[in-house]
């Protein structure tokens, strides 16, 4: 089963998201790397590396990584550079929105989807179906 | 360039960042998210504490730079943590690849700085003129390479590199930011110094002063 790694600036944000994933897809292995080594807002390349290595050791099918903001990509890139090629080949990084992408990825992973399918599930455009089709246009009076 | 010089530089840099943290944060508040001074102070403070505690079991300059780079990548937090961490790691790797593991000539120093700055540019997908730390770092490398070609000593080459970095940082004032969070501001980024360029110049000045015996 494919694992999920959540990377972000806030430990609290990622803890909350992990709890949501545990409810939606309890069988899926989820690891988080949020905040700096000292728990401040930010990202930590060593913490990301440890999170990715941790899930890869348990999940032969690989892992999809999701980010909260683009600035996390720099630390993520540094972390992935330190993986051995066989491990790096089992990691995909998602361009999807963190919350929706992670929930979709976890559900796909729980269904046994391969790495490519879990990645694709995570990259559905943000807001894709967050609101119903008949939701009134912004600025119009409520029906 | 001994391990003692590297350690002295990192301590001097930590104390100057502590002194400048409010200024750096104010610069960042104008065009970024207002945490540059706080982040660097946290990371270099952690580095200083690890040096003081003897956590780094090496006196060799290359391995010391690598350990410092890992500390910075784990503790600074923002994009600057990854970028400065990458610079230190690449400089350390360049030094370790050298016979004897140290810099003796200014031409060698220029090659180490070039490796570090190329690492920053590649990770940030950036180039000079985009209102980033590269606007200080690249002129510093160019000045150091010119100094290396004329055969001046390492301390003099570092002095020229720091001068060039400070001039480059000042020259970010009229630039339009096209990278990082400052780019969200578009033309409102014009008329502000780039905090990353200012901190880069601070770090290079600290290195020059440490090499000149000021550490």
């Amino acid at each position: 089963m494919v694992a999920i790694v959540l990377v972000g600036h806030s430990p609290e944000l990622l803890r909350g998201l992990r709890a949501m994933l545990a409810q939606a897809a309890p069988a899926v292995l989820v690891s988080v790397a949020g905040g700096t080594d000292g728990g401040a807002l930010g990202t930590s390349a060593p913490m990301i590396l440890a999170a990715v290595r941790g899930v890869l050791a348990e999940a032969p099918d690989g892992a999809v990584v999701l980010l909260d903001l683009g600035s996390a990509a720099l630390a993520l890139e540094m972390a992935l550079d330190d993986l051995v090629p066989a491990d790096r080949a089992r990691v995909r990084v998602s361009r999807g929105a963190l919350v929706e992408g992670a929930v979709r990825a976890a559900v796909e992973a729980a269904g046994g989807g391969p790495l490519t399918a879990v990645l694709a599930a995570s990259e559905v455009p943000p807001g894709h179906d967050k609101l119903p089709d008949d939701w009134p246009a912004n600025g119009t009076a409520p029906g | 360039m001994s391990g003692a010089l590297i350690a002295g530089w990192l301590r001097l840099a930590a104390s100057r960042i502590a002194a400048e943290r409010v200024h750096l944060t104010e610069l960042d508040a104008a065009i970024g998210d207002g945490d540059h001074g706080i982040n660097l102070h946290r990371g270099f403070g952690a580095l200083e504490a690890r040096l003081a505690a003897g956590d780094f079991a090496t006196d060799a300059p290359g391995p010391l730079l690598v350990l410092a780079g890992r500390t910075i990548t784990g503790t600074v937090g923002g994009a600057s943590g990854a970028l400065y961490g990458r610079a230190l790691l690449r400089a350390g790797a360049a030094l370790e690849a050298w016979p004897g593991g140290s810099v003796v000539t200014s031409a060698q120093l220029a090659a180490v700085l070039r490796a570090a700055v190329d690492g920053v540019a590649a990770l940030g997908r950036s180039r000079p003129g985009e209102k980033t730390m590269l606007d200080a770092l690249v002129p510093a490398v160019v000045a150091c390479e010119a100094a290396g070609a004329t055969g001046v000593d390492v301390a003099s080459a570092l002095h020229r590199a720091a001068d060039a970095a400070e001039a480059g940082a000042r020259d970010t004032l009229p630039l339009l930011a096209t990278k990082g969070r400052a780019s969200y501001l578009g033309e409102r980024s014009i008329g502000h110094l780039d905090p990353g360029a200012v901190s880069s110049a601070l770090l290079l000045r600290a290195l020059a002063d440490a090499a000149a015996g000021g550490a």
Side-chain angles (χ1 to χ4, degrees):
Chain A
M1 191 179 294
V2 174
I4 310 282
V5 179
L6 308 174
V7 172
H9 289 64
S10 159
E12 290 83 0
L13 178 69
L14 298 191
R15 264 202 298 277
L17 180 54
R18 180 158 65 176
M20 290 171 66
L21 301 186
Q23 192 174 61
V28 175
L29 182 61
V30 178
S31 182
V32 303
T36 68
D37 291 358
L41 294 177
T43 51
S44 156
M47 196 189 298
I48 297 167
L49 179 62
V52 173
R53 278 193 177 138
V55 296
L56 288 179
E58 305 286 327
D61 295 333
V64 170
V65 183
L66 290 107
L67 312 173
D68 65 341
L69 294 173
S71 55
L74 278 71
L76 173 64
E77 185 173 347
M78 290 197 68
L80 297 183
D81 282 350
D82 282 348
L83 291 176
V84 297
D87 279 350
R88 180 67 187 83
R90 291 191 290 134
V91 176
R92 298 289 182 275
V93 179
S94 173
R95 295 177 182 275
L98 178 67
V99 176
E100 290 169 302
V103 172
R104 289 168 180 276
V107 170
E108 177 66 29
L115 198 51
T116 50
V118 176
L119 176 69
S122 77
E123 291 186 333
V124 168
H128 173 65
D129 60 359
K130 198 180 288 188
L131 294 174
D133 290 343
D134 62 353
W135 189 265
N138 284 308
T140 60
Chain B
M1 185 168 278
S2 65
L5 168 59
I6 298 296
W9 165 47
L10 295 171
R11 280 192 292 268
L12 184 61
S15 74
R16 290 189 181 171
I17 284 167
E20 287 295 313
R21 67 183 188 274
V22 173
H23 179 228
L24 290 170
T25 289
E26 284 170 357
L27 291 175
D28 194 32
I31 62 168
D33 52 2
D35 60 4
H36 191 56
I38 296 164
N39 287 348
L40 286 184
H41 179 50
R42 180 175 59 239
F44 277 81
L47 185 56
E48 191 177 28
R50 295 194 65 183
L51 283 167
D55 279 1
F56 300 146
T58 178
D59 291 324
L64 189 54
L65 283 169
V66 169
L67 290 167
R70 289 207 188 111
T71 302
I72 291 299
T73 62
T75 54
V76 169
S80 59
L83 293 165
Y84 282 136
R86 171 56 60 92
L88 292 168
L89 289 165
R90 287 288 161 87
L95 273 179
E96 284 179 327
W98 232 288
S102 186
V103 158
V104 180
T105 69
S106 51
Q108 290 176 321
L109 170 71
V112 170
L113 283 179
R114 172 60 70 184
V117 172
D118 284 354
V120 171
L123 185 64
R125 275 83 172 170
S126 188
R127 63 180 76 176
E130 296 179 325
K131 204 176 183 93
T132 71
M133 52 177 74
L134 289 175
D135 289 310
L137 294 174
V138 170
V141 174
V142 170
C144 194
E145 286 170 343
T150 64
V152 303
D153 64 20
V154 166
S156 302
L158 278 172
H159 184 76
R160 293 182 199 178
D163 285 350
E166 287 170 355
R170 283 194 298 274
D171 290 347
T172 62
L173 195 71
L175 294 179
L176 172 71
T178 55
K179 279 285 183 302
R181 217 159 293 180
S183 65
Y184 297 177
L185 289 174
E187 296 199 345
R188 281 179 290 142
S189 66
I190 294 172
H192 298 280
L193 293 175
D194 178 64
V198 172
S199 64
S200 292
L202 179 156
L203 292 171
L204 284 167
R205 177 60 69 194
L207 179 57
D209 288 349

